[in-house]
Amino acid sequence: MSAPFLEVVDVFKSYFLNGKRIDVLRGVSVQIQQGELVSLIGASGSGKSTFLHVVGTLDLPATGKMFFRGKSVFDMNDGEVAEFRNRSIGFVFQSHYLLPEFTAAENVAMPALIARHDPKPTMKRARELLERVGLAERSDHKPGELSGGESQRVALARALMLKPDLLLADEPTGNLDPSTGEGIHALLREVNRDLGVTAVVVTHNELLAKSMPRRLRLKEGAVVNADD
Ligand SMILES: Nc1ncnc2c1ncn2[C@@H]1O[C@H](COP(=O)(O)OP(=O)(O)OP(=O)(O)O)[C@@H](O)[C@H]1O
Ligand SMILES: [Mg+2]
């Protein structure tokens, strides 16, 4: 049998601030299979962002293991971790973090331009991705000339630029009105279905969470099945 796509094993993570210790992740174990679309809910402060940051290697756990396609991620050297993060992970955050001085198409292209990909095909792909998220007409708009929902769709297109294996979305609809938020979730479902991108989506909206095929909850420092 082949190794699971992503396997998180007994991850612990605490923060230390002003001599106080906050135990956030207290033995998180979860397996995610290739192609899954998973929602992650949980109270504010329960550790959802911390969990996504650890999985995306933006932050290190205290203890625990993580295997991506059987390879132990926390045992990789710095270069290997950076490559894993850049090649395999796409992030969408609650704030879009688009660069204000660049157009939508340039923002989408940015990860590939930074990776020194050939600019011409890169810009072509950026425009195709904008078309996929329904923004072909807004390619030359700068972030200040886009609505909140449009900006978040640009951020999603940017996250897809380098064809990630795993998309990690941290409340991508947190700043949007419910119907625009549902549009982003529909888009995530479409991207998951059509491009086969595995995705974990943190949301505070239980209704939107329910629209995902698998639902997880962060509770008391552990990841549990949200339906239990
Ligand atoms: N850098 C930090 N230093 C100290 N404590 C932190 C730090 N980052 C997060 N925390 C604390 O860790 C806990 C988990 O934070 P986290 O951001 O993971 O929660 P969350 O589930 O994403 O919450 P929300 O739904 O509000 O985004 C919180 O109690 C928070 O105050
Ligand atoms: Mg959070």
Side-chain angles (χ1 to χ4, degrees):
M1 219 177 82
S2 63
F5 177 75
L6 181 80
E7 186 174 18
V8 177
V9 187
D10 218 14
V11 159
F12 283 75
K13 166 95 190 161
S14 304
Y15 290 111
F16 297 88
L17 197 67
N18 304 328
K20 251 188 73 188
R21 192 175 105 190
I22 307 170
D23 298 317
V24 180
L25 305 180
R26 285 168 275 162
V28 168
S29 295
V30 66
Q31 278 194 18
I32 291 170
Q33 305 303 333
Q34 180 154 16
E36 276 199 291
L37 176 59
V38 182
S39 67
L40 178 63
I41 56 173
S44 179
S46 59
K48 303 179 298 297
S49 295
T50 304
F51 172 73
L52 282 199
H53 291 172
V54 167
V55 170
T57 70
L58 296 177
D59 211 350
L60 267 178
T63 58
K65 291 206 155 277
M66 183 167 86
F67 301 91
F68 179 73
R69 293 183 166 141
K71 198 162 188 312
S72 178
V73 175
F74 301 146
D75 290 321
M76 292 176 181
N77 65 36
D78 289 353
E80 289 172 322
V81 171
E83 186 172 317
F84 165 73
R85 188 188 310 128
N86 296 336
R87 287 252 180 110
S88 300
I89 306 284
F91 281 103
V92 184
F93 299 100
Q94 182 172 354
S95 303
H96 53 72
Y97 297 116
L98 298 177
L99 301 171
E101 65 273 35
F102 293 96
T103 65
E106 287 163 348
N107 267 284
V108 173
M110 202 55 73
L113 296 175
I114 289 170
R116 297 178 182 282
H117 292 192
D118 190 350
K120 215 174 157 200
T122 293
M123 290 310 296
K124 184 168 175 273
R125 176 166 163 75
R127 287 175 189 282
E128 284 165 4
L129 283 167
L130 281 172
E131 192 176 340
R132 164 156 280 284
V133 300
L135 287 178
E137 317 275 80
R138 298 286 185 273
S139 294
D140 299 319
H141 284 228
K142 291 187 175 162
E145 300 153 0
L146 295 167
S147 74
E150 288 171 346
S151 301
Q152 208 48 296
R153 283 189 273 160
V154 175
L156 176 59
R158 177 183 56 187
L160 296 172
M161 185 70 210
L162 293 177
K163 301 185 181 160
D165 299 296
L166 176 62
L167 189 69
L168 300 172
D170 196 354
E171 288 188 62
T173 59
N175 288 329
L176 306 175
D177 67 76
S179 99
T180 312
E182 166 49 28
I184 297 285
H185 279 243
L187 196 55
L188 285 165
R189 289 194 292 271
E190 199 181 299
V191 158
N192 167 259
R193 189 189 60 221
D194 298 351
L195 308 180
V197 180
T198 309
V200 179
V201 183
V202 167
T203 181
H204 271 289
N205 186 323
E206 299 251 357
L207 256 176
L208 292 182
K210 284 206 170 78
S211 74
M212 304 278 166
R214 184 178 173 201
R215 292 162 293 276
L216 298 175
R217 183 191 304 275
L218 235 162
K219 195 178 168 190
E220 292 160 11
V223 167
V224 297
N225 190 336
D227 303 319
D228 289 347

